[in-house]
Amino acid sequence: MFDVLVYLYENYWRPDACPDHEQLTRKLSAVGFESDEIQEALNWLDGLTLSAQTHAGQQGEHSMRVFTSAEHDHFGEECLGFVSFLESAGVLPPPMREIVIDRAMAIPGGPVSLEDLKIIVLMVFWSLGEEPDALILDELFVDVQDRLIH
């Protein structure tokens, strides 16, 4: 599923640039994605749209989030730390944080890997038509082991 999401992020500037589900399914199949993987990604994206509509403008600018034990188990320490980092950097306001949490909780199994969480964050920005600044994009795309220390 995450490969399909990355493909959509890289090939469609905005969600409204994507064709309807039927045509998109054909295009993704032609590129080589499996039908179950495509369907899972499209269902997840439908949930993303619903979550964005639900959480838009709900929390105040300085709201605090206490994670449930189920969320804590599903995210794990590394992902919770990353969400906290994005919040403290001022790039993940409370409504977006809630969308990220909702969509991460929609991923079966757990805990969610940091790599998958980064894709979820990218897709939340994408779905809202926002682009993270260059430093955050670097954080989301470049693996820590691949960074050069100056």
Side-chain angles (χ1 to χ4, degrees):
M1 175 187 86
F2 286 101
D3 291 336
V4 174
L5 295 176
V6 169
Y7 178 86
L8 293 175
Y9 182 85
E10 291 176 343
N11 289 281
Y12 294 98
W13 184 249
R14 299 181 320 260
D16 59 353
C18 290
D20 63 59
H21 278 11
E22 187 177 316
Q23 186 178 4
L24 185 57
T25 298
R26 284 193 305 269
K27 284 185 176 199
L28 292 169
S29 291
V31 173
F33 292 108
E34 299 292 327
S35 61
D36 58 334
E37 187 178 23
I38 294 167
Q39 196 56 48
E40 187 179 356
L42 294 179
N43 289 340
W44 188 89
L45 284 172
D46 288 341
L48 177 58
T49 301
L50 182 62
S51 184
Q53 292 168 350
T54 302
H55 294 289
Q58 279 191 349
Q59 280 81 25
E61 186 177 318
H62 302 289
S63 70
M64 186 174 122
R65 181 65 151 82
V66 177
F67 289 88
T68 67
S69 60
E71 290 169 338
H72 196 274
D73 292 343
H74 196 71
F75 275 80
E77 293 297 325
E78 187 176 34
C79 288
L80 287 175
F82 188 70
V83 169
S84 178
F85 160 72
L86 292 176
E87 279 188 277
S88 66
V91 297
L92 195 65
M96 287 179 75
R97 175 196 63 214
E98 292 306 310
I99 298 168
V100 168
I101 292 168
D102 176 72
R103 293 293 73 211
M105 292 300 289
I107 303 300
V112 174
S113 73
L114 183 58
E115 182 178 304
D116 290 348
L117 180 65
K118 289 178 178 186
I119 294 169
I120 292 168
V121 171
L122 275 176
M123 294 309 293
V124 168
F125 274 98
W126 180 80
S127 74
L128 298 173
E130 297 183 24
E131 187 171 331
D133 67 32
L135 292 175
I136 295 303
L137 275 175
D138 184 52
E139 187 67 38
L140 294 172
F141 277 120
V142 179
D143 193 7
V144 174
Q145 292 115 349
D146 295 338
R147 293 187 184 177
L148 296 175
I149 300 175
H150 301 315

